[in-house]
Amino acid sequence: MNKNLNIQQIDRIIEMAWEDRTPFEAIQFQFGVSEAEVIELMRSELKESSFKLWRKRVNSRVSQKHLKKRSEEINRFKCSRQRVISNNKISKR
């Protein structure tokens, strides 16, 4: 991967990749990192067993990482309770 990402951005990409409801398109929109680059990043940053678990989950019916697998009712990248995408911090209740 040839992107100039800092450690915080890499950590956030990994966190977003682990989230079932965050599509790859949201990661690309926010960080300019394609699905293939996310997979490459996950392969290099995770232990082999963790990477295999993640790939299995992404390719399962549980995950909605691909917009094609999502319900058509979901038409946004972020939770309605979430602040503007500055570090994706969820507001305290």
Side-chain angles (χ1 to χ4, degrees):
M1 199 162 94
N2 218 4
K3 305 275 182 194
N4 293 326
L5 300 170
N6 63 37
I7 293 173
Q8 289 83 11
Q9 291 171 320
I10 291 171
D11 286 346
R12 183 61 187 139
I13 291 169
I14 292 170
E15 183 180 350
M16 290 174 77
W18 270 108
E19 296 168 350
D20 285 334
R21 296 193 62 153
T22 304
F24 287 113
E25 290 81 1
I27 297 170
Q28 184 162 19
F29 176 78
Q30 188 169 349
F31 295 100
V33 178
S34 69
E35 178 181 348
E37 291 170 325
V38 171
I39 293 168
E40 182 182 329
L41 177 74
M42 296 294 275
R43 187 182 313 260
S44 68
E45 295 291 325
L46 300 178
K47 295 186 302 184
E48 184 179 354
S49 60
S50 297
F51 174 75
K52 286 181 180 179
L53 285 172
W54 174 74
R55 285 300 288 161
K56 183 176 180 181
R57 185 153 181 88
V58 166
N59 292 322
S60 71
R61 296 189 188 270
V62 175
S63 177
Q64 298 178 2
K65 297 303 288 180
H66 299 93
L67 287 180
K68 294 179 282 186
K69 292 183 181 180
R70 294 184 102 178
S71 166
E72 292 180 9
E73 296 170 0
I74 301 172
N75 59 4
R76 64 191 187 284
F77 285 156
K78 64 182 182 117
C79 175
S80 60
R81 296 183 311 257
Q82 199 171 14
R83 289 185 186 173
V84 178
I85 301 183
S86 60
N87 297 328
N88 291 330
K89 294 180 181 173
I90 297 176
S91 61
K92 295 186 179 185
R93 295 177 193 168

